[in-house]
Amino acid sequence: MKAFANQYGYSDVSPFEVIKIVSDKTIEVREMDAEKDDSVKMEWAVGGFAGHCINQHDQKWHITSNAQNPVVRIRLGKSGAWKDRHGRRFGLVDQPVKFYDYNF
């Protein structure tokens, strides 16, 4: 079992850590805190609704555990996808990832 679960919301990604393995098809996860690393400056060009970020894949985040965040139970469905009770999709991974899509 992987140590982390990334939650995929269309093009945005939020990091979670695996807290407890309940069974082969059920695990408990907790969202991790992610603070943007301001050393990477986003570059904008004219276009889209209000501009287009041309280097959004260069963004960096400082990701840390936070025991105060709520624990969420996710389950493995028949389709092979991990989801919580609200239908949010998760993927089990070795490293947590945070990505904010500036162009969405």
Side-chain angles (χ1 to χ4, degrees):
M1 187 68 63
K2 306 285 186 172
F4 301 98
N6 290 329
Q7 188 259 320
Y8 301 100
Y10 296 100
S11 54
D12 292 338
V13 181
S14 297
F16 283 70
E17 60 187 330
V18 174
I19 300 300
K20 180 179 178 183
I21 299 170
V22 178
S23 71
D24 291 345
K25 295 184 179 185
T26 304
I27 59 177
E28 291 181 348
V29 297
R30 179 173 53 216
E31 187 166 13
M32 301 176 78
D33 290 346
E35 183 179 328
K36 191 171 181 306
D37 182 344
D38 290 327
S39 68
V40 177
K41 300 296 180 197
M42 298 293 100
E43 297 176 25
W44 295 88
V46 176
F49 294 108
H52 177 77
C53 184
I54 58 177
N55 67 331
Q56 72 173 358
H57 291 286
D58 295 338
Q59 62 186 285
K60 293 181 182 176
W61 298 83
H62 299 288
I63 300 172
T64 56
S65 179
N66 183 345
Q68 302 302 314
N69 288 340
V71 173
V72 177
R73 190 169 273 201
I74 62 174
R75 292 182 171 81
L76 182 61
K78 291 179 183 178
S79 67
W82 290 93
K83 293 183 181 181
D84 68 3
R85 67 184 182 136
H86 301 290
R88 295 185 302 170
R89 298 175 298 119
F90 290 80
L92 301 183
V93 295
D94 292 320
Q95 294 294 320
V97 172
K98 171 70 177 175
F99 180 79
Y100 179 80
D101 189 349
Y102 289 96
N103 297 320
F104 184 65

XYZ file of all heavy atoms in Angstrom:
847
model
N 0.852 -1.184 0.000
C 0.000 0.000 0.000
C 0.896 1.244 0.000
O 1.908 1.288 0.687
C -0.891 -0.027 1.240
C -1.940 1.062 1.296
S -3.296 1.027 0.103
C -4.119 -0.476 0.489
N 0.507 2.234 -0.750
C 1.262 3.482 -0.852
C 1.056 4.332 0.411
O 0.082 4.164 1.133
C 0.809 4.271 -2.081
C 0.868 3.501 -3.379
C 2.271 3.353 -3.866
C 2.257 2.692 -5.242
N 3.527 2.670 -5.858
N 1.955 5.270 0.648
C 1.901 6.108 1.848
C 1.049 7.360 1.667
O 0.657 7.991 2.650
C 3.310 6.514 2.266
N 0.739 7.709 0.409
C 0.004 8.941 0.141
C -1.112 8.700 -0.865
O -1.089 7.730 -1.614
C 0.952 10.019 -0.403
C 2.077 10.338 0.538
C 3.322 9.757 0.372
C 1.887 11.193 1.605
C 4.356 10.025 1.233
C 2.912 11.472 2.487
C 4.150 10.882 2.306
N -2.067 9.633 -0.873
C -3.165 9.598 -1.837
C -3.378 11.019 -2.333
O -3.585 11.929 -1.526
C -4.442 9.064 -1.188
N -3.288 11.221 -3.628
C -3.568 12.534 -4.195
C -5.025 12.580 -4.636
O -5.519 11.646 -5.261
C -2.651 12.825 -5.382
C -1.218 13.050 -4.955
O -0.955 13.536 -3.860
N -0.285 12.690 -5.818
N -5.695 13.667 -4.296
C -7.093 13.863 -4.683
C -7.110 14.691 -5.962
O -6.496 15.756 -6.021
C -7.865 14.560 -3.568
C -9.354 14.639 -3.809
C -9.792 16.003 -4.313
O -9.321 17.030 -3.865
N -10.708 15.996 -5.244
N -7.776 14.168 -6.996
C -7.809 14.815 -8.296
C -9.150 15.496 -8.512
O -10.184 14.842 -8.573
C -7.556 13.783 -9.405
C -6.229 13.093 -9.241
C -6.143 11.827 -8.685
C -5.054 13.725 -9.607
C -4.920 11.204 -8.505
C -3.824 13.110 -9.428
C -3.770 11.856 -8.881
O -2.562 11.244 -8.690
N -9.118 16.818 -8.599
C -10.326 17.593 -8.859
C -10.188 18.253 -10.216
O -9.687 19.367 -10.296
N -10.573 17.566 -11.258
C -10.358 17.998 -12.630
C -8.859 18.163 -12.847
O -8.141 17.188 -12.863
C -11.166 19.243 -12.968
C -12.648 18.976 -12.894
C -13.386 19.361 -11.773
C -13.294 18.303 -13.906
C -14.737 19.089 -11.689
C -14.650 18.019 -13.834
C -15.361 18.420 -12.716
O -16.683 18.141 -12.630
N -8.340 19.383 -12.944
C -6.904 19.538 -13.188
C -6.118 19.888 -11.920
O -4.891 19.858 -11.942
C -6.679 20.608 -14.263
O -7.332 21.803 -13.889
N -6.788 20.225 -10.831
C -6.095 20.503 -9.571
C -5.807 19.199 -8.830
O -6.558 18.223 -8.954
C -6.941 21.406 -8.665
C -7.089 22.818 -9.207
O -6.249 23.233 -10.027
O -8.048 23.505 -8.806
N -4.725 19.190 -8.052
C -4.345 18.010 -7.273
C -4.070 18.451 -5.836
O -3.386 19.456 -5.615
C -3.073 17.335 -7.851
C -2.703 16.099 -7.050
C -3.269 16.989 -9.318
N -4.612 17.706 -4.863
C -4.399 18.000 -3.448
C -3.804 16.773 -2.757
O -4.267 15.655 -2.973
C -5.722 18.365 -2.767
O -6.259 19.535 -3.339
N -2.788 16.980 -1.886
C -2.120 15.850 -1.245
C -2.816 15.379 0.031
O -3.273 16.182 0.846
C -0.739 16.418 -0.916
C -0.994 17.874 -0.680
C -2.115 18.250 -1.610
N -2.886 14.074 0.203
C -3.413 13.433 1.412
C -2.402 12.385 1.850
O -1.659 11.849 1.026
C -4.743 12.733 1.127
C -5.925 13.661 1.015
C -6.058 14.522 -0.054
C -6.917 13.648 1.978
C -7.148 15.366 -0.170
C -8.014 14.489 1.882
C -8.133 15.347 0.805
N -2.385 12.070 3.134
C -1.539 10.990 3.635
C -2.418 9.851 4.108
O -3.512 10.073 4.620
C -0.640 11.486 4.768
C -1.382 12.031 5.955
C -0.473 12.654 6.983
O 0.679 12.211 7.109
O -0.918 13.585 7.660
N -1.947 8.626 3.899
C -2.687 7.454 4.359
C -2.491 7.344 5.864
O -1.365 7.316 6.355
C -2.208 6.173 3.637
C -2.877 4.951 4.223
C -2.485 6.278 2.136
N -3.595 7.301 6.594
C -3.565 7.233 8.052
C -3.756 5.807 8.545
O -3.064 5.339 9.440
C -4.672 8.136 8.660
C -4.462 9.587 8.226
C -4.721 8.008 10.166
C -3.139 10.166 8.643
N -4.717 5.093 7.929
C -5.045 3.756 8.410
C -5.550 2.906 7.249
O -6.352 3.352 6.436
C -6.130 3.858 9.483
C -6.568 2.549 10.071
C -7.635 2.789 11.129
C -8.134 1.492 11.719
N -9.219 1.723 12.683
N -5.089 1.665 7.200
C -5.602 0.704 6.219
C -6.674 -0.103 6.944
O -6.380 -0.876 7.846
C -4.485 -0.206 5.693
C -3.420 0.641 4.998
C -5.058 -1.259 4.751
C -2.162 -0.112 4.643
N -7.922 0.105 6.545
C -9.046 -0.576 7.178
C -9.208 -1.973 6.598
O -9.411 -2.943 7.329
C -10.346 0.251 7.026
C -11.528 -0.463 7.627
C -10.162 1.638 7.632
N -9.115 -2.072 5.277
C -9.196 -3.356 4.572
C -8.534 -3.190 3.204
O -7.995 -2.126 2.901
C -10.657 -3.803 4.416
O -11.325 -2.980 3.480
N -8.603 -4.229 2.368
C -8.038 -4.128 1.023
C -8.741 -3.069 0.177
O -8.172 -2.564 -0.781
C -8.138 -5.472 0.298
C -7.228 -6.522 0.895
O -6.317 -6.150 1.669
O -7.424 -7.709 0.595
N -9.985 -2.764 0.533
C -10.779 -1.840 -0.272
C -11.169 -0.562 0.456
O -11.895 0.257 -0.092
C -12.052 -2.550 -0.753
C -11.754 -3.702 -1.690
C -13.013 -4.309 -2.220
C -12.685 -5.443 -3.176
N -13.868 -5.991 -3.804
N -10.683 -0.369 1.670
C -11.032 0.824 2.440
C -9.811 1.335 3.188
O -9.134 0.570 3.864
C -12.148 0.515 3.457
O -13.265 -0.036 2.766
C -12.588 1.767 4.181
N -9.525 2.634 3.022
C -8.441 3.256 3.774
C -8.894 4.615 4.285
O -9.840 5.204 3.767
C -7.143 3.392 2.943
C -7.378 4.226 1.689
C -6.564 2.053 2.598
C -6.116 4.458 0.877
N -8.223 5.087 5.314
C -8.491 6.419 5.850
C -7.320 7.318 5.500
O -6.157 6.930 5.653
C -8.705 6.355 7.361
C -9.990 5.647 7.718
C -10.243 5.591 9.214
O -9.325 5.887 10.009
O -11.379 5.244 9.586
N -7.638 8.526 5.010
C -6.625 9.491 4.599
C -6.913 10.837 5.249
O -8.030 11.109 5.679
C -6.577 9.642 3.055
C -6.180 8.348 2.389
C -7.905 10.137 2.495
N -5.884 11.674 5.310
C -6.024 13.015 5.872
C -5.310 13.998 4.957
O -4.172 13.746 4.537
C -5.421 13.057 7.278
C -5.498 14.406 7.930
C -5.057 14.387 9.375
N -3.733 13.788 9.505
C -3.370 13.025 10.521
N -4.209 12.727 11.487
N -2.142 12.539 10.582
N -5.969 15.109 4.657
C -5.370 16.112 3.775
C -4.140 16.724 4.428
O -4.113 16.953 5.631
C -6.376 17.210 3.426
C -5.856 18.172 2.384
C -6.930 19.062 1.784
O -8.037 19.114 2.323
O -6.622 19.709 0.772
N -3.139 16.979 3.622
C -1.908 17.592 4.088
C -1.949 19.085 3.780
O -2.643 19.514 2.859
C -0.705 16.939 3.399
C -0.620 15.444 3.665
S 0.717 14.645 2.773
C 2.102 15.129 3.797
N -1.222 19.872 4.568
C -1.121 21.307 4.308
C -0.115 21.541 3.192
O 0.925 20.867 3.132
C -0.677 22.055 5.566
C -1.752 22.081 6.634
O -2.921 21.769 6.327
O -1.419 22.438 7.781
N -0.414 22.485 2.322
C 0.483 22.810 1.215
C 0.644 24.329 1.153
O -0.335 25.057 0.982
C -0.070 22.279 -0.099
N 1.869 24.777 1.324
C 2.175 26.204 1.260
C 2.992 26.466 0.003
O 4.014 25.807 -0.238
C 2.969 26.619 2.499
C 3.259 28.095 2.548
C 4.029 28.471 3.810
O 3.829 27.827 4.853
O 4.848 29.400 3.728
N 2.546 27.437 -0.788
C 3.202 27.739 -2.060
C 4.606 28.272 -1.827
O 4.833 29.105 -0.967
C 2.381 28.762 -2.848
C 2.823 28.938 -4.263
C 1.813 29.782 -5.001
C 2.186 29.967 -6.438
N 3.506 30.498 -6.671
N 5.553 27.767 -2.604
C 6.940 28.236 -2.572
C 7.025 29.442 -3.504
O 6.899 29.309 -4.719
C 7.866 27.113 -3.044
C 9.335 27.498 -3.001
O 9.658 28.698 -2.893
O 10.165 26.584 -3.084
N 7.235 30.607 -2.922
C 7.250 31.839 -3.714
C 8.554 32.068 -4.477
O 8.705 33.095 -5.137
C 6.957 33.040 -2.813
C 5.515 33.042 -2.331
O 4.632 32.586 -3.090
O 5.272 33.513 -1.194
N 9.492 31.125 -4.393
C 10.739 31.282 -5.146
C 10.492 31.136 -6.647
O 11.294 31.616 -7.447
C 11.789 30.277 -4.683
O 11.416 28.958 -5.039
N 9.399 30.476 -7.008
C 9.042 30.347 -8.421
C 7.959 31.382 -8.725
O 6.876 31.349 -8.154
C 8.514 28.925 -8.735
C 8.078 28.830 -10.194
C 9.558 27.889 -8.422
N 8.275 32.303 -9.598
C 7.319 33.350 -9.985
C 6.532 32.897 -11.209
O 7.117 32.482 -12.213
C 8.044 34.669 -10.295
C 8.833 35.206 -9.123
C 7.923 35.574 -7.983
C 8.738 36.103 -6.813
N 7.999 36.099 -5.575
N 5.226 32.965 -11.102
C 4.377 32.598 -12.222
C 4.463 33.681 -13.298
O 4.433 34.872 -12.992
C 2.924 32.433 -11.768
C 2.715 31.322 -10.745
S 3.007 29.657 -11.375
C 4.646 29.318 -10.781
N 4.593 33.250 -14.546
C 4.702 34.169 -15.677
C 3.388 34.168 -16.444
O 2.854 33.104 -16.762
C 5.845 33.737 -16.594
C 7.200 33.781 -15.919
C 8.310 33.257 -16.813
O 8.154 33.302 -18.056
O 9.312 32.790 -16.260
N 2.896 35.357 -16.727
C 1.584 35.505 -17.360
C 1.707 36.130 -18.739
O 2.532 37.006 -18.968
C 0.678 36.368 -16.482
C 0.393 35.703 -15.184
C 1.129 35.782 -14.040
C -0.677 34.806 -14.908
N 0.572 34.997 -13.073
C -0.539 34.385 -13.570
C -1.739 34.312 -15.655
C -1.426 33.504 -12.974
C -2.629 33.444 -15.052
C -2.465 33.046 -13.728
N 0.863 35.658 -19.661
C 0.779 36.204 -21.012
C -0.683 36.554 -21.278
O -1.593 35.995 -20.659
C 1.274 35.189 -22.032
N -0.897 37.454 -22.173
C -2.253 37.847 -22.544
C -2.940 36.665 -23.211
O -2.359 35.974 -24.051
C -2.225 39.058 -23.509
C -3.622 39.409 -23.984
C -1.572 40.249 -22.823
N -4.199 36.414 -22.825
C -4.957 35.321 -23.409
C -5.890 34.714 -22.389
O -5.851 35.036 -21.206
N -6.764 33.843 -22.854
C -7.728 33.211 -21.958
C -8.717 34.228 -21.414
O -8.980 35.247 -22.031
N -9.266 33.964 -20.225
C -10.241 34.875 -19.640
C -9.563 36.112 -19.057
O -10.016 37.226 -19.238
C -11.048 34.166 -18.544
C -11.914 33.079 -19.080
C -11.604 31.752 -18.859
C -13.043 33.365 -19.827
C -12.396 30.742 -19.350
C -13.843 32.365 -20.335
C -13.517 31.045 -20.099
N -8.479 35.909 -18.328
C -7.805 37.046 -17.697
C -6.298 36.976 -17.873
O -5.577 37.760 -17.288
C -8.145 37.072 -16.211
N -5.827 36.030 -18.630
C -4.401 35.828 -18.833
C -4.100 34.344 -18.854
O -4.929 33.514 -18.487
N -2.907 34.015 -19.259
C -2.494 32.612 -19.369
C -1.163 32.445 -18.652
O -0.191 33.145 -18.965
C -2.363 32.231 -20.848
C -1.881 30.836 -21.066
N -2.693 29.742 -20.913
C -0.655 30.359 -21.406
C -1.989 28.645 -21.153
N -0.755 28.993 -21.459
N -1.105 31.546 -17.683
C 0.132 31.265 -16.957
C 0.960 30.298 -17.801
O 0.555 29.159 -18.019
C -0.174 30.663 -15.584
S 1.302 30.394 -14.593
N 2.112 30.761 -18.264
C 2.895 29.965 -19.207
C 3.858 28.993 -18.527
O 4.413 28.117 -19.186
C 3.656 30.865 -20.202
C 4.582 31.843 -19.462
C 2.687 31.615 -21.093
C 5.426 32.712 -20.372
N 4.068 29.121 -17.227
C 5.003 28.221 -16.539
C 4.373 27.562 -15.308
O 5.054 27.289 -14.322
C 6.273 28.971 -16.143
C 6.036 30.022 -15.083
O 4.950 30.599 -14.993
N 7.051 30.288 -14.278
N 3.099 27.262 -15.373
C 2.414 26.725 -14.192
C 2.946 25.359 -13.758
O 2.797 24.974 -12.605
C 0.911 26.674 -14.407
C 0.417 25.624 -15.348
C -1.090 25.567 -15.350
O -1.770 26.282 -14.624
N -1.637 24.696 -16.169
N 3.594 24.620 -14.629
C 4.137 23.316 -14.253
C 5.461 23.434 -13.492
O 6.015 22.430 -13.048
C 4.280 22.405 -15.476
C 2.949 21.996 -16.027
N 2.143 21.074 -15.412
C 2.263 22.437 -17.108
C 1.013 20.942 -16.101
N 1.066 21.756 -17.137
N 5.956 24.664 -13.333
C 7.163 24.900 -12.547
C 6.850 25.177 -11.075
O 7.775 25.288 -10.267
C 7.950 26.092 -13.113
C 8.479 25.834 -14.510
O 8.620 24.646 -14.883
O 8.741 26.820 -15.231
N 5.578 25.300 -10.726
C 5.229 25.656 -9.349
C 5.726 24.620 -8.349
O 5.835 23.438 -8.660
C 3.717 25.855 -9.208
C 2.886 24.634 -9.502
C 1.401 24.937 -9.485
O 0.828 25.094 -8.421
N 0.807 25.043 -10.665
N 6.074 25.112 -7.143
C 6.573 24.246 -6.079
C 5.773 24.532 -4.810
O 5.329 25.656 -4.577
C 8.058 24.510 -5.821
C 8.938 24.106 -6.975
C 10.388 24.355 -6.663
C 11.244 23.976 -7.870
N 12.642 24.294 -7.653
N 5.615 23.497 -4.000
C 4.843 23.600 -2.764
C 5.606 22.931 -1.626
O 6.288 21.932 -1.839
C 3.486 22.901 -2.926
C 2.625 23.518 -3.976
C 2.669 23.280 -5.318
C 1.605 24.478 -3.782
N 1.735 24.030 -5.965
C 1.057 24.781 -5.042
C 1.078 25.116 -2.660
C 0.027 25.694 -5.211
C 0.047 26.020 -2.824
C -0.457 26.302 -4.093
N 5.452 23.484 -0.419
C 5.964 22.858 0.792
C 4.792 22.094 1.401
O 3.819 22.707 1.847
C 6.494 23.909 1.771
C 7.622 24.720 1.215
N 8.881 24.196 1.027
C 7.675 26.003 0.788
C 9.659 25.132 0.514
N 8.951 26.232 0.362
N 4.886 20.777 1.406
C 3.780 19.925 1.861
C 4.139 19.332 3.218
O 5.207 18.744 3.375
C 3.499 18.807 0.831
C 3.130 19.430 -0.518
C 2.410 17.876 1.330
C 3.027 18.442 -1.665
N 3.232 19.520 4.197
C 3.463 19.026 5.547
C 2.216 18.340 6.090
O 1.093 18.661 5.698
C 3.861 20.164 6.502
O 2.855 21.171 6.472
C 5.202 20.766 6.119
N 2.435 17.426 7.008
C 1.347 16.733 7.676
C 0.690 17.669 8.679
O 1.355 18.530 9.263
C 1.906 15.504 8.382
O 0.885 14.820 9.048
N -0.625 17.521 8.871
C -1.339 18.311 9.867
C -2.361 17.412 10.548
O -3.406 17.082 9.976
C -2.028 19.507 9.214
C -2.717 20.407 10.213
O -2.940 20.044 11.361
N -3.068 21.600 9.771
N -2.083 17.038 11.781
C -2.958 16.132 12.533
C -4.310 16.757 12.859
O -5.238 16.050 13.262
C -2.257 15.692 13.815
N -4.447 18.066 12.681
C -5.715 18.749 12.963
C -6.723 18.613 11.811
O -7.910 18.865 12.002
C -5.470 20.244 13.249
C -4.519 20.493 14.403
C -4.996 19.861 15.698
O -6.156 19.973 16.062
N -4.093 19.177 16.377
N -6.252 18.248 10.633
C -7.157 18.092 9.492
C -8.017 16.838 9.674
O -7.565 15.849 10.248
C -6.367 18.006 8.188
C -5.760 19.330 7.795
O -6.194 20.383 8.244
N -4.742 19.292 6.965
N -9.250 16.869 9.174
C -10.139 15.716 9.356
C -9.702 14.490 8.555
O -9.099 14.606 7.486
C -11.498 16.224 8.858
C -11.191 17.385 7.983
C -9.902 17.973 8.477
N -10.023 13.324 9.092
C -9.740 12.050 8.428
C -10.921 11.698 7.532
O -12.076 11.847 7.925
C -9.485 10.938 9.467
C -9.349 9.583 8.795
C -8.245 11.264 10.287
N -10.616 11.247 6.318
C -11.628 10.904 5.316
C -11.445 9.434 4.952
O -10.320 8.968 4.772
C -11.461 11.782 4.049
C -12.447 11.382 2.975
C -11.587 13.253 4.392
N -12.533 8.723 4.816
C -12.473 7.317 4.411
C -12.699 7.238 2.904
O -13.648 7.812 2.371
C -13.545 6.527 5.155
C -13.396 5.036 4.992
C -14.285 4.302 5.949
N -13.557 4.148 7.208
C -13.830 3.234 8.128
N -14.840 2.410 7.950
N -13.120 3.146 9.222
N -11.804 6.518 2.210
C -11.977 6.316 0.766
C -12.065 4.821 0.500
O -11.531 4.006 1.248
C -10.851 6.978 -0.062
C -9.480 6.388 0.259
C -10.853 8.475 0.143
C -8.363 6.909 -0.632
N -12.786 4.495 -0.568
C -13.021 3.086 -0.897
C -12.671 2.810 -2.352
O -12.847 3.660 -3.217
C -14.475 2.731 -0.636
C -14.826 2.743 0.835
C -16.281 2.346 1.087
N -16.529 2.163 2.492
C -16.768 3.152 3.359
N -16.774 4.394 2.935
N -16.991 2.896 4.635
N -12.220 1.590 -2.587
C -11.901 1.139 -3.934
C -13.174 0.606 -4.574
O -13.790 -0.339 -4.083
C -10.833 0.043 -3.879
C -10.329 -0.511 -5.200
C -9.673 0.589 -6.026
C -9.355 -1.645 -4.953
N -13.587 1.240 -5.671
C -14.814 0.841 -6.356
C -14.584 -0.278 -7.361
O -13.451 -0.679 -7.638
N -15.664 -0.751 -7.922
C -15.600 -1.829 -8.917
C -14.822 -1.411 -10.161
O -14.234 -2.238 -10.840
C -17.013 -2.256 -9.317
C -17.760 -2.962 -8.208
C -19.159 -3.336 -8.648
C -19.924 -3.973 -7.500
N -21.297 -4.307 -7.885
N -14.822 -0.105 -10.449
C -14.103 0.393 -11.623
C -12.594 0.466 -11.392
O -11.843 0.731 -12.323
C -14.616 1.793 -11.976
O -14.255 2.715 -10.953
N -12.158 0.266 -10.145
C -10.739 0.340 -9.831
C -10.296 1.701 -9.340
O -9.114 1.930 -9.122
N -11.254 2.618 -9.165
C -10.941 3.979 -8.711
C -11.224 4.133 -7.222
O -12.212 3.602 -6.713
C -11.774 4.986 -9.498
N -10.344 4.853 -6.533
C -10.550 5.192 -5.125
C -11.376 6.463 -5.060
O -11.049 7.457 -5.704
C -9.206 5.420 -4.432
C -8.403 4.180 -4.246
C -7.452 3.684 -5.090
C -8.474 3.272 -3.144
N -6.930 2.520 -4.575
C -7.533 2.251 -3.376
C -9.243 3.228 -1.976
C -7.339 1.199 -2.495
C -9.041 2.175 -1.096
C -8.105 1.177 -1.358
N -12.458 6.446 -4.245
C -13.327 7.619 -4.100
C -13.803 7.740 -2.661
O -13.911 6.749 -1.947
C -14.560 7.507 -5.007
C -14.244 7.558 -6.483
C -15.521 7.511 -7.294
C -15.210 7.532 -8.780
N -16.427 7.501 -9.589
N -14.113 8.985 -2.269
C -14.723 9.184 -0.959
C -16.248 9.186 -1.132
O -16.761 8.988 -2.242
C -14.223 10.462 -0.289
C -14.678 11.747 -0.967
O -15.455 11.703 -1.950
O -14.258 12.830 -0.517
N -16.973 9.407 -0.047
C -18.441 9.325 -0.116
C -19.070 10.440 -0.944
O -20.242 10.380 -1.294
C -19.037 9.291 1.281
C -18.863 10.560 2.063
C -19.409 10.387 3.458
N -19.275 11.623 4.197
C -20.222 12.123 4.946
N -21.366 11.492 5.073
N -20.026 13.250 5.589
N -18.293 11.479 -1.253
C -18.797 12.572 -2.078
C -18.432 12.396 -3.554
O -18.741 13.251 -4.377
C -18.253 13.911 -1.574
C -18.606 14.196 -0.159
N -19.892 14.489 0.252
C -17.857 14.197 0.968
C -19.908 14.682 1.555
N -18.686 14.507 2.019
N -17.740 11.307 -3.876
C -17.368 11.029 -5.260
C -16.047 11.628 -5.692
O -15.692 11.551 -6.873
N -15.307 12.252 -4.761
C -14.000 12.806 -5.125
C -13.037 11.658 -5.421
O -12.988 10.682 -4.689
C -13.434 13.676 -4.004
C -14.262 14.907 -3.739
C -13.619 15.816 -2.720
N -13.384 15.125 -1.453
C -12.667 15.617 -0.451
N -12.084 16.795 -0.568
N -12.517 14.933 0.668
N -12.256 11.793 -6.508
C -11.344 10.747 -6.962
C -9.969 10.883 -6.317
O -9.458 12.001 -6.171
C -11.174 10.819 -8.480
C -12.457 10.587 -9.256
C -12.263 10.788 -10.750
N -11.854 12.165 -11.046
C -10.706 12.500 -11.630
N -9.847 11.589 -12.014
N -10.404 13.755 -11.850
N -9.380 9.738 -5.970
C -8.056 9.690 -5.360
C -7.184 8.687 -6.100
O -7.688 7.725 -6.665
C -8.149 9.247 -3.893
C -8.784 10.254 -2.980
C -10.158 10.392 -2.919
C -7.999 11.069 -2.176
C -10.750 11.322 -2.070
C -8.578 11.991 -1.325
C -9.950 12.115 -1.275
N -5.884 8.909 -6.053
C -4.918 7.959 -6.574
C -3.850 7.720 -5.527
O -3.346 8.678 -4.932
N -3.506 6.476 -5.276
C -2.472 6.155 -4.299
C -1.099 6.342 -4.939
O -0.860 5.864 -6.047
C -2.649 4.727 -3.793
C -3.996 4.417 -3.128
C -4.010 2.998 -2.604
C -4.301 5.413 -2.023
N -0.216 7.054 -4.228
C 1.082 7.441 -4.789
C 2.194 7.313 -3.744
O 1.922 7.210 -2.550
C 1.042 8.889 -5.330
C 0.095 9.005 -6.514
C 0.640 9.861 -4.234
N 3.441 7.345 -4.216
C 4.597 7.298 -3.318
C 4.950 8.672 -2.750
O 5.531 8.768 -1.677
C 5.824 6.737 -4.049
C 5.662 5.266 -4.394
O 5.125 4.520 -3.562
O 6.068 4.871 -5.499
N 4.643 9.732 -3.488
C 4.964 11.091 -3.059
C 3.722 11.978 -3.177
O 3.015 11.915 -4.186
C 6.072 11.688 -3.932
C 7.407 10.996 -3.792
C 7.993 11.174 -2.402
O 7.913 12.237 -1.809
N 8.569 10.106 -1.866
N 3.463 12.833 -2.172
C 2.315 13.735 -2.268
C 2.582 14.848 -3.284
O 3.723 15.277 -3.455
C 2.196 14.300 -0.854
C 3.587 14.263 -0.320
C 4.216 13.026 -0.925
N 1.524 15.273 -3.950
C 1.646 16.324 -4.967
C 0.553 17.366 -4.747
O -0.583 17.033 -4.451
C 1.489 15.725 -6.393
C 1.415 16.823 -7.442
C 2.619 14.778 -6.699
N 0.935 18.630 -4.919
C -0.019 19.732 -4.931
C 0.155 20.416 -6.265
O 1.279 20.724 -6.701
C 0.256 20.714 -3.784
C -0.550 21.987 -3.851
C -2.004 21.751 -3.579
C -2.773 23.086 -3.586
N -4.189 22.892 -3.444
N -0.949 20.645 -6.971
C -0.918 21.370 -8.237
C -2.152 22.232 -8.322
O -3.268 21.761 -8.104
C -0.866 20.409 -9.432
C -0.841 21.118 -10.758
C 0.335 21.676 -11.229
C -1.985 21.258 -11.518
C 0.361 22.354 -12.445
C -1.974 21.924 -12.725
C -0.791 22.472 -13.193
N -1.943 23.506 -8.614
C -3.053 24.424 -8.817
C -3.032 24.851 -10.281
O -2.025 25.372 -10.762
C -2.933 25.645 -7.897
C -4.052 26.621 -8.090
C -5.289 26.392 -7.509
C -3.896 27.760 -8.875
C -6.339 27.261 -7.703
C -4.933 28.632 -9.076
C -6.155 28.385 -8.479
O -7.202 29.255 -8.677
N -4.140 24.644 -10.972
C -4.220 24.993 -12.386
C -4.649 26.454 -12.522
O -5.817 26.785 -12.334
C -5.220 24.070 -13.096
C -5.201 24.229 -14.595
O -4.567 25.195 -15.098
O -5.793 23.389 -15.286
N -3.700 27.299 -12.825
C -3.968 28.734 -12.990
C -4.747 29.022 -14.270
O -5.297 30.099 -14.427
C -2.655 29.513 -13.020
C -1.971 29.576 -11.686
C -0.971 28.675 -11.360
C -2.314 30.540 -10.747
C -0.339 28.728 -10.130
C -1.698 30.594 -9.514
C -0.700 29.691 -9.215
O -0.083 29.743 -7.994
N -4.777 28.082 -15.198
C -5.396 28.314 -16.496
C -6.782 27.686 -16.634
O -7.300 27.541 -17.730
C -4.479 27.793 -17.605
C -3.180 28.531 -17.642
O -3.140 29.738 -17.463
N -2.095 27.807 -17.843
N -7.382 27.318 -15.532
C -8.699 26.694 -15.599
C -9.769 27.673 -15.259
O -9.675 28.516 -14.463
C -8.739 25.493 -14.643
C -10.026 24.743 -14.725
C -10.395 24.075 -15.875
C -10.896 24.693 -13.653
C -11.581 23.373 -15.944
C -12.086 23.991 -13.712
C -12.422 23.344 -14.862
